[in-house]
């Protein structure tokens, strides 16, 4: 986890059930894309990505999960930290 900048790809390993918090800032009206996937896909790993996007007040803004890939572009967001 940690801070993210625009158009960044993060690679690494995520142990099972390990929360991995990331943060980023957006300008008003931005629609961030969140993509979680296993590269290359490996069905024997049982990778099931999920995410929860919270604003700086702790309110849930968006979430998603899947048995393979999560690929979501959010609605336009107010400026702030997420």
């Amino acid at each position: 986890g940690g801070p993210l900048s625009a158009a960044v790809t993060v690679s690494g390993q995520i142990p099972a059930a390990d929360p991995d918090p990331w943060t980023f800032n957006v300008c008003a009206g931005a629609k961030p894309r969140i993509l979680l996937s296993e590269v290359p896909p490996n069905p024997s790993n049982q990778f099931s990505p999920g995410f929860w996007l919270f604003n700086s007040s702790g309110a849930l803004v968006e979430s998603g999960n899947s048995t393979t890939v999560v690929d979501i572009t959010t609605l336009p967001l107010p400026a702030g930290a997420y």
Side-chain angles (χ1 to χ4, degrees), residues 17-44:
D18 178 36
D20 215 0
W22 297 90
T23 59
F24 58 92
N25 294 305
V26 300
C27 297
K31 297 188 293 184
R33 178 182 181 203
I34 299 166
L35 172 64
L36 305 171
S37 67
E38 181 177 33
V39 179
N42 183 346
S44 67

Side-chain angles (χ1 to χ4, degrees), residues 7 14 18 28 35 41 49-50 52 54 65 67 75:
I14 303 172
D18 178 36
L35 172 64
W52 298 265
F54 297 93
N65 60 25
T67 57
L75 295 172

Side-chain angles (χ1 to χ4, degrees), residues 8-82:
V8 67
T9 298
V10 178
S11 298
Q13 296 180 346
I14 303 172
D18 178 36
D20 215 0
W22 297 90
T23 59
F24 58 92
N25 294 305
V26 300
C27 297
K31 297 188 293 184
R33 178 182 181 203
I34 299 166
L35 172 64
L36 305 171
S37 67
E38 181 177 33
V39 179
N42 183 346
S44 67
N45 284 342
Q46 299 178 344
F47 182 69
S48 297
F51 82 94
W52 298 265
L53 178 64
F54 297 93
N55 65 18
S56 59
S57 299
L60 181 64
V61 175
E62 185 83 56
S63 65
N65 60 25
S66 172
T67 57
T68 55
V69 174
V70 173
D71 188 0
I72 291 184
T73 300
T74 69
L75 295 172
L77 297 173
Y82 292 83

